[in-house]
Amino acid sequence: MKILEPTEEHVREAAEALLGGKLVGLPTETVYGIAAHAFDEAAVRRTFEIKERPPNNPLIVHLAGVDQVPEVAAEWPSFAATLADRFWPGPLTLVVPKAPKVPMAVTGGLDTVAVRVPLHPVAQLLLSVSRVPLSAPSANRFMGLSPTRAEHLDPSIADALFCILDGGPCEYGIESTVVDCSGPTPHILRPGGISRAQIERCLGPLESPTNSSKRRSPGQYERHYAPRAAVRIVEKLGPDDCGICLSEPVSDEQIQLPADPGKYASRLYEALRTLDLKRHPQILIEAPPDAPEWEAVWDRLRKASG
Ligand code: TXA
Ligand code: MG
């Protein structure tokens, strides 16, 4: 596993490797990704292979800035522009009609493309040095936990990469919010780093999708983001349980996470990973509050528990 300090020289080497068709472990503010030159179809296909991801589950294209949007998008609806202006760079992905230049391999055969401008300084540097859009799914194996530190990448993925740029622990710890901007009104396809309330403060209340306007995100499965152990959500951990609690832990088999949803999210995958390594058959999670600001955390907990 080749984990490199993100010096200017290493970032330049990584950019050259990407332009030469290789894959690079990319730190972002949400989770680590597997970056490829988005217009290099062979490199994109290899991304799917090493993740063992079905080819119809599209990738997010990462851009250095909003000025790169015309390279990948055929249209830029006004609400996409408003959201990008407010939240980029940051953990928000916008789905818009794709430009012909984006290979169908990236979009899983769809005529739309998901784009985002990441906030992490190492991601920004790599994007500006390589000067091409980079496709990057989370760097987990299909259905596994997304890595939030360089050393958390599965060796089978890490070994297939030119290198992993070490950007330290990810600030948000869960993936970006995905908003479908390809229809007449915007809809959240995946809750994430930017909350529904933040988006509604910017655009006004979101309409709930009607059946005809509802486009499903092909990457949304009932079970996802899951450790090896079975995950169950409970009201309170018992003294002998292995799991995640909000209250004081009573053993080394329990990890307490903060009562703030953002801080909780930033440590969730790491906590699940740590508990999974203990090889208990079951991980129990104390239910966080049933409140709107916990929507993204609840989404991941439901998907971890299948
Ligand atoms: O935070 C993130 O978004 C991370 C970092 C690395 O940027 N990336 C990430 O990528 O989570 P991935 O591939 O694990 O998740 C991409 C999500 C999937 O749910 C996929 O279905 C959705 O975005 N998506 C991508 N393109 C889409 C499209 N054209 N239409 C609808 N959904 C799309
Ligand atoms: Mg993922």
Side-chain angles (χ1 to χ4, degrees):
M1 188 176 318
K2 192 169 157 197
I3 298 180
L4 298 181
E5 284 299 310
T7 60
E8 259 178 58
E9 194 191 335
H10 288 155
V11 171
R12 206 166 356 92
E13 280 172 23
E16 276 164 24
L18 286 165
L19 294 172
K22 299 200 170 84
L23 308 179
V24 166
L26 172 77
T28 83
E29 70 280 17
T30 57
V31 299
Y32 277 72
I34 304 171
H37 182 340
F39 298 149
D40 180 339
E41 204 168 324
V44 169
R45 286 191 194 286
R46 220 153 353 93
T47 313
F48 284 88
E49 279 164 27
I50 66 170
K51 270 180 73 78
E52 295 174 14
R53 172 161 164 151
N56 66 349
N57 184 353
L59 308 183
I60 295 172
V61 174
H62 296 65
L63 307 174
V66 72
D67 48 316
Q68 262 183 337
V69 164
E71 284 188 52
V72 295
E75 282 169 50
W76 193 232
S78 64
F79 41 81
T82 305
L83 289 173
D85 190 48
R86 172 67 186 81
F87 296 111
W88 281 1
L92 179 70
T93 296
L94 304 173
V95 174
V96 293
K98 88 174 197 60
K101 204 171 159 189
V102 179
M104 281 289 182
V106 171
T107 65
L110 298 175
D111 55 5
T112 54
V113 64
V115 288
R116 90 174 184 99
V117 175
L119 177 63
H120 196 292
V122 177
Q124 290 203 345
L125 188 60
L126 185 65
L127 282 157
S128 58
V129 173
S130 63
R131 301 171 76 161
V132 293
L134 300 176
S135 60
S138 50
N140 53 314
R141 288 159 64 98
F142 183 55
M143 301 297 230
L145 290 169
S146 301
T148 55
R149 291 176 184 265
E151 57 281 16
H152 290 181
L153 268 76
D154 190 296
S156 72
I157 288 185
D159 290 344
L161 306 177
F162 170 74
C163 71
I164 303 164
L165 292 171
D166 189 353
C170 300
E171 182 190 343
Y172 284 84
I174 57 169
E175 297 81 355
S176 62
T177 303
V178 180
V179 179
D180 182 7
C181 296
S182 68
T185 54
H187 299 295
I188 294 178
L189 297 174
R190 176 179 75 182
I194 300 291
S195 71
R196 182 179 298 270
Q198 284 175 291
I199 289 170
E200 292 193 331
R201 270 200 293 279
C202 182
L203 293 183
L206 296 179
E207 281 175 39
S208 34
T210 59
N211 276 344
S212 59
S213 71
K214 202 173 196 168
R215 290 162 199 253
R216 272 184 55 82
S217 200
Q220 298 294 304
Y221 302 90
E222 298 284 304
R223 185 172 161 88
H224 200 159
Y225 312 113
R228 256 178 271 254
V231 173
R232 213 153 54 80
I233 304 184
V234 296
E235 205 176 308
K236 185 128 186 47
L237 295 190
D240 299 328
D241 291 335
C242 165
I244 294 176
C245 48
L246 290 155
S247 49
E248 254 330 276
V250 298
S251 77
D252 289 346
E253 310 302 296
Q254 303 187 351
I255 296 177
Q256 183 182 27
L257 290 186
D260 169 82
K263 292 189 185 128
Y264 185 109
S266 78
R267 291 177 41 203
L268 175 62
Y269 290 157
E270 176 164 29
L272 284 171
R273 186 176 188 279
T274 304
L275 294 173
D276 213 20
L277 291 172
K278 294 178 182 286
R279 305 271 160 193
H280 283 276
Q282 189 162 245
I283 295 172
L284 303 186
I285 301 179
E286 280 183 4
D290 185 13
E293 59 276 23
W294 288 86
E295 182 183 6
V297 165
W298 266 112
D299 174 78
R300 303 309 188 270
L301 295 183
R302 286 199 189 94
K303 284 174 180 156
S305 60

